[in-house]
Amino acid sequence: KKQHKKNKKDDRGPPEKEKEKEKASVPAPSKPATQSPAHKGTAFAILHSLVFVSFLYFLLVVKRLPEHIQVDDPAALKKLAKKLERQQVPLRSDYGYKVSLFSHLHQYSRKNPPTQQISIPATVIHPSIVRLGLQYSQGIIAGSNARSVALLHAFKQVIRDYSTPPNEELSRDLVNKLSPYISFLSQCRPLSASMGNAIKYIKKEISNIPSQCKEEEAKRRLQECIDSYINEKIILASEAISKYAIEKISDGDVILVYGCSSLVNHILCEAFEKQRKFRVIVVDSRPRLEGKEALRRLVKKGIRCTYVLISALSYILPEVSKVFLGAHALLANGYVMSRVGTSQIALVAKAFNVPVLVCCETYKFCERVQTDSFVSNELDDPDDLIVTRNGKTHLENWQTVKSLGLLNLVYDVTPPDFVDLVITDLGMIPCTSVPVVLRVKNVDQ
Amino acid sequence: MPGADKETDLSERIESFLSELKRCGSGAGSLRGSAETARETTALLRRITAQARWSNAGDLMEIIRKEGRRMTAAQPSVTTVGNMVRRVLKIIREEYARSRGSTEEADQQESLHKLLTSGGSSEDNFRQHFAHLKANVIEAINELLTELEGTTDNISMQALEHIHSNEVIMTIGRSRTVEAFLKDAARKRKFHVMVAECAPFCQGHEMATSLSKEDIETTVIPDAAIFAVMSRVNKVIIGTQTVLANGGLRAVNGTHTLALAAKHHSTPLIVCAPMFKLSPQVSDTPVQSHLHDLVKLTSILSKVNAHCPVFDYVPPELITLFISNIGGNAPSYIYRLMSELYHPEDHEL
């Protein structure tokens, strides 16, 4: 029952819930002991256990709202501050004027990374986690696959350096050690869906370590688990997806891609190696301009490329035969969460009757549901939008102007009717089959 | 001698206007608004009427047509020049007809009956000489100039009829007409404006700073976020470079995406365009500009094609309303307005 609870729980749940669970789980073993002595206490005990069980069930079924979308709630902020203080993780403050529609989200500045507030040498947080957090907050590591792989490698390092303190069990203590790390990382940059799934997997593996297992053996086993997770879910999955996707690429195709998706780039490079004749149009958008990186990789391979900005989409779409998009996460109601601008591309492609194919590994599927890009999103540094044209920087002092706001969204959701096909490592499915896949995965586990 | 001086002075002015047109390409965004271009063109045409040598209406029309062809050839993407030339030609035809006798005015309207019974276009050669034609034409051009000066004000006066309080309005790039429209409404009502910045030139930034100085709550969003925020937008109000004869638009790039997103969310799309932007013909060649400093692609530039179109075509089905200096119209009515502004024989200069 404890494992079951740990699986269902959202990994961002505050320690209070953990404490409650621990409190709840501790009296449970002692219950049978108290029930035997008095008969008149039995009815009371049964009633108490019923209430207790239903309360536990309630905790299991109702998911907690993640903290990073409750910024406008002062009570939630206070709870977070207390939790971070207890874990000795620095609290990051918001920056700049926030557009009122997004007052429930954090908005950080890249110039104040949370690592500045950590003492050197870091005592509570492992140095590889500190380095990882800095890489996230500065945007050095970006893209959901890259972030997950970096996270897993950092956790491997943590496990290698971990030593069980006396009178503690590795399966419980290591999980507790990981909590402040995860809080710190989510302060640097909110966790992605793929990172969330990876963390859930690791916590499950750690708690599954039997107590009689020796420490060296346990650590070795955990590192093997992490390696096999990366291998199966990311590397082999991308091989499988490439194989399916290459069936969909025919000679003479003009393929449109958006931004830099490691998976889509991999597919195109594989298809080129298999002697398919096609050319690629890379669409890019401000302020991230990630398409330049994709362009560089494709040109290095020798693929013929064209480069446009997203505002030129209607101009270039009549030439396009297919659109390949990457995804950050696939939500349970069939919506595709991806880099901002993806939904726009899908919309205009639909208007021009161009098929849209989304490529996504199954480890990015998540149980959340969302219908618009407002309730759960990420706000990037607003200063990124400032640009100098013809020697003039119009938005230079936007902070001084009271009624001016800059909005730098990171993600948006694409409705399933714009997407024609989702290519996953389990095969080619329509968008609406995502909950089926999730259910199959849960049954497997 | 004074005649020759006037002529050289006139041709100098025409040459300087042509070179200015050539320079103000679509490259760095319009250096001058289209209203200014329209006014300057009309003033130049008035000067030509006053100073050039002509004896009858036909000669004058030939001269103006010739100059008009040169001006449109100098910068084909600036359509207001051609539109003003056509307006002046229509003025000349009207004044000529009025001098001959007012019955001719009715002939100007095309109707199926007239086409069947008249047996071809009227035999008018415009060769008759009228003493007061010059004065009449110049007076009519002066009226046209007054109308041009008042267009932005006429459009902004209608702002309160279309914007209510606590609305969220989206716009793209920088349009002086829309700026005046929104500022006029902001004097009495409070609303929120989202400006799409319209890369690569980011004219939206200028628009946003100018609007926020009038205490309008403004937000700048990148082009990629247009569809993401569209669900919270109540109205989309845009300007345009040209209004086409079928009610479609030739507007700044990114407008078609904006129109599609508005259609998907059933958000009304309102176009603020003065009448002088109505154009019967546009050149086919796509206008491209420079991506240069936006994207530092120097290392691989030789192996890559880059496109940066300046204008987008927006079909009339995506547009809800046109607001012009003569009031609001549906896109299906534009063809009729155009037949009132220009004579069909002038469509091809």
Side-chain angles (χ1 to χ4, degrees):
Chain A
K1 203 176 171 195
K2 219 202 293 188
Q3 312 302 15
H4 194 49
K5 269 186 259 168
K6 282 222 160 72
N7 282 350
K8 283 278 174 101
K9 187 179 89 160
D10 203 284
D11 59 272
R12 295 187 215 90
E16 273 142 63
K17 198 161 167 241
E18 273 179 12
K19 273 201 286 198
E20 273 173 338
K21 285 226 152 64
E22 280 170 21
K23 253 197 315 200
S25 55
V26 159
S30 64
K31 266 275 170 308
T34 51
Q35 264 176 13
S36 32
H39 276 291
K40 58 182 174 196
T42 315
F44 173 72
I46 292 174
L47 185 62
H48 194 186
S49 59
L50 273 179
V51 168
F52 164 72
V53 162
S54 59
F55 174 65
L56 272 186
Y57 184 71
F58 172 73
L59 285 178
L60 285 179
V61 164
V62 171
K63 291 204 189 95
R64 281 220 93 223
L65 265 185
E67 179 280 322
H68 74 278
I69 59 170
Q70 287 191 72
V71 177
D72 54 347
D73 182 8
L77 282 181
K78 253 199 289 190
K79 248 203 267 186
L80 172 71
K82 270 200 265 184
K83 166 184 151 197
L84 290 181
E85 214 184 294
R86 196 180 29 224
Q87 294 177 333
Q88 295 179 321
V89 170
L91 175 68
R92 203 172 179 192
S93 48
D94 282 353
Y95 165 77
Y97 171 70
K98 247 188 283 187
V99 178
S100 56
L101 285 168
F102 292 95
S103 56
H104 60 289
L105 298 174
H106 283 296
Q107 181 170 279
Y108 299 130
S109 163
R110 203 161 293 135
K111 294 199 268 286
N112 305 331
T115 44
Q116 280 176 349
Q117 301 158 35
I118 294 191
S119 58
I120 297 171
T123 43
V124 177
I125 312 220
H126 193 278
S128 61
I129 300 280
V130 176
R131 183 177 68 185
L132 189 65
L134 187 62
Q135 284 169 330
Y136 283 166
S137 69
Q138 300 300 104
I140 299 172
I141 294 187
S144 69
N145 277 347
R147 281 164 72 187
S148 308
V149 170
L151 176 74
L152 291 170
H153 281 303
F155 276 176
K156 260 173 58 176
Q157 183 66 37
V158 166
I159 291 174
R160 243 189 302 243
D161 297 339
Y162 172 76
S163 51
T164 325
N167 305 330
E168 288 283 356
E169 265 195 43
L170 181 133
S171 54
R172 251 186 265 169
D173 185 58
L174 187 53
V175 176
N176 291 342
K177 265 275 185 336
L178 290 180
S179 296
Y181 299 168
I182 294 167
S183 308
F184 173 70
L185 289 176
S186 55
Q187 283 293 297
C188 293
R189 190 172 164 190
L191 299 181
S192 66
S194 51
M195 285 164 72
N197 287 345
I199 289 174
K200 256 191 254 186
Y201 173 78
I202 290 187
K203 283 193 172 170
K204 185 170 81 85
E205 287 300 311
I206 293 176
S207 24
N208 275 347
I209 301 275
S211 41
Q212 63 269 30
C213 197
K214 279 226 239 298
E215 186 174 321
E216 284 312 312
E217 171 70 23
K219 292 207 302 198
R220 192 188 56 80
R221 202 186 290 192
L222 283 175
Q223 297 197 36
E224 262 173 28
C225 279
I226 292 182
D227 279 335
S228 77
Y229 186 83
I230 295 180
N231 201 27
E232 260 178 47
K233 306 282 182 180
I234 302 180
I235 299 178
L236 288 180
S238 83
E239 296 292 324
I241 294 177
S242 303
K243 224 190 315 226
Y244 289 124
I246 288 174
E247 291 169 31
K248 292 286 171 195
I249 300 180
S250 23
D251 284 344
D253 260 350
V254 179
I255 297 180
L256 186 119
V257 298
Y258 177 59
C260 185
S261 164
S262 51
L263 185 54
V264 174
N265 288 343
H266 183 254
I267 291 173
L268 293 176
C269 294
E270 287 281 304
F272 190 71
E273 267 170 31
K274 294 217 164 54
Q275 311 300 329
R276 292 275 199 281
K277 307 267 172 298
F278 59 92
R279 66 181 176 92
V280 175
I281 298 181
V282 178
V283 177
D284 203 6
S285 74
R286 280 198 74 235
R288 284 172 167 244
L289 292 177
E290 289 170 330
K292 289 201 280 182
E293 179 57 37
L295 193 66
R296 210 167 290 147
R297 291 187 202 171
L298 295 174
V299 168
K300 204 158 70 161
K301 241 349 198 203
I303 303 177
R304 257 172 53 215
C305 293
T306 307
Y307 179 85
V308 287
L309 288 178
I310 197 170
S311 37
L313 202 53
S314 321
Y315 173 78
I316 206 87
L317 256 174
E319 298 176 13
V320 175
S321 57
K322 291 190 179 72
V323 178
F324 272 81
L325 299 173
H328 172 260
L330 242 62
L331 305 176
N333 58 341
Y335 279 64
V336 178
M337 183 172 195
S338 184
R339 185 67 80 220
V340 67
T342 311
S343 54
Q344 215 163 297
I345 297 204
L347 166 81
V348 185
K350 188 96 189 161
F352 281 84
N353 275 326
V354 175
V356 174
L357 292 88
V358 172
C359 307
C360 183
E361 300 95 334
T362 45
Y363 88 105
K364 289 182 187 163
F365 286 19
C366 73
E367 283 163 3
R368 272 193 311 126
V369 288
Q370 212 176 314
T371 51
D372 58 33
S373 323
F374 293 88
V375 287
S376 178
N377 208 329
E378 198 184 316
L379 293 178
D380 209 355
D381 193 350
D383 289 334
D384 286 346
L385 287 179
I386 303 179
V387 73
T388 309
R389 287 264 169 279
N390 296 336
K392 284 193 278 211
T393 314
H394 289 285
L395 294 180
E396 206 160 4
N397 303 318
W398 70 277
Q399 305 260 31
T400 56
V401 182
K402 192 166 53 87
S403 25
L404 185 59
L406 301 184
L407 185 62
N408 191 355
L409 281 181
V410 181
Y411 298 118
D412 73 5
V413 282
T414 309
D417 29 335
F418 292 158
V419 178
D420 293 304
L421 189 65
V422 179
I423 306 180
T424 68
D425 38 321
L426 295 177
M428 302 197 253
I429 58 173
C431 245
T432 42
S433 298
V434 169
V436 175
V437 170
L438 281 172
R439 187 155 172 201
V440 163
K441 272 200 330 173
N442 280 347
V443 163
D444 277 346
Q445 284 168 1
Chain B
M1 285 331 262
D5 276 343
K6 267 206 278 185
E7 271 189 27
T8 44
D9 174 57
L10 179 63
S11 42
E12 261 175 40
R13 281 181 192 269
I14 297 179
E15 289 308 315
S16 67
F17 184 65
L18 284 177
S19 53
E20 255 195 74
L21 275 182
K22 279 204 187 90
R23 244 187 310 125
C24 113
S26 38
S30 50
L31 291 174
R32 45 175 45 201
S34 29
E36 239 181 275
T37 315
R39 271 195 292 262
E40 285 197 24
T41 315
T42 318
L44 187 62
L45 291 172
R46 181 179 58 184
R47 193 173 282 273
I48 294 178
T49 315
Q51 291 180 352
R53 261 193 290 194
W54 52 278
S55 54
N56 53 42
D59 285 343
L60 178 59
M61 278 169 43
E62 266 312 307
I63 296 175
I64 291 198
R65 220 175 265 150
K66 189 177 79 137
E67 295 304 329
R69 270 193 289 259
R70 282 178 67 199
M71 288 196 267
T72 44
Q75 190 56 256
S77 63
V78 177
T79 44
T80 37
V81 170
N83 296 347
M84 288 297 104
V85 170
R86 293 183 185 99
R87 287 290 285 273
V88 169
L89 286 173
K90 174 118 196 212
I91 285 175
I92 298 172
R93 282 175 202 268
E94 275 179 8
E95 291 302 325
Y96 183 78
R98 197 172 303 156
S99 301
R100 269 183 61 169
S102 48
T103 51
E104 301 292 330
E105 277 185 30
D107 273 3
Q108 300 295 340
Q109 288 159 22
E110 280 199 349
S111 73
L112 218 46
H113 178 79
K114 285 270 166 8
L115 281 174
L116 286 172
T117 55
S118 64
S121 53
S122 50
E123 302 299 312
D124 237 335
N125 270 6
F126 296 96
R127 293 286 159 212
Q128 228 171 328
H129 172 76
F130 290 109
H132 300 287
L133 187 61
K134 190 179 214 170
N136 288 347
V137 168
I138 292 185
E139 199 185 312
I141 296 184
N142 282 340
E143 275 176 26
L144 177 60
L145 270 172
T146 337
E147 184 196 316
L148 286 178
E149 268 157 41
T151 46
T152 316
D153 286 333
N154 282 339
I155 293 180
S156 336
M157 277 195 313
Q158 306 171 50
L160 283 176
E161 292 169 25
H162 297 282
I163 301 181
H164 61 77
S165 17
N166 283 334
E167 270 207 283
V168 178
I169 295 180
M170 184 179 275
T171 182
I172 187 168
R174 175 152 196 231
S175 163
R176 287 170 185 75
T177 318
V178 174
E179 206 180 311
F181 191 82
L182 293 176
K183 283 185 181 170
D184 200 90
R187 282 192 285 126
K188 300 268 177 62
R189 307 233 162 110
K190 278 250 152 290
F191 52 90
H192 194 126
V193 177
M194 296 208 162
V195 183
E197 64 180 6
C198 193
F201 300 109
C202 301
Q203 300 120 327
H205 292 188
E206 227 181 301
M207 174 87 152
T209 31
S210 150
L211 286 176
S212 57
K213 288 208 174 71
E214 305 283 326
D215 269 340
I216 303 178
E217 285 281 331
T218 321
T219 307
V220 178
I221 60 171
D223 297 330
I226 287 178
F227 185 72
V229 302
M230 182 58 82
S231 49
R232 292 294 169 277
V233 173
N234 299 117
K235 280 194 179 76
V236 179
I237 301 183
I238 56 175
T240 174
Q241 199 251 2
T242 311
V243 179
L244 302 171
N246 64 345
L249 299 180
R250 195 164 88 159
V252 75
N253 70 334
T255 312
H256 189 214
T257 309
L258 182 64
L260 282 172
K263 187 78 178 185
H264 182 261
H265 290 278
S266 297
T267 310
L269 179 68
I270 298 178
V271 181
C272 291
M275 275 288 113
F276 65 80
K277 287 195 176 166
L278 209 54
S279 178
Q281 278 196 347
V282 286
S283 62
D284 273 339
T285 50
V287 187
Q288 302 254 356
S289 79
H290 325 287
L291 267 183
H292 55 102
D293 53 339
L294 169 71
V295 178
K296 308 231 174 354
L297 283 178
T298 39
S299 53
I300 43 177
L301 202 52
S302 51
K303 308 184 195 125
V304 167
N305 289 338
H307 291 282
C308 184
V310 181
F311 297 119
D312 250 356
Y313 168 68
V314 182
E317 304 84 60
L318 300 175
I319 302 169
T320 318
L321 184 70
F322 278 96
I323 295 183
S324 67
N325 44 315
I326 55 177
N329 301 106
S332 46
Y333 190 62
I334 294 291
Y335 80 97
R336 195 90 187 111
L337 289 175
M338 208 173 59
S339 69
E340 284 169 27
L341 282 181
Y342 312 123
H343 194 273
E345 282 173 23
D346 294 332
H347 285 185
E348 187 76 43
L349 268 184

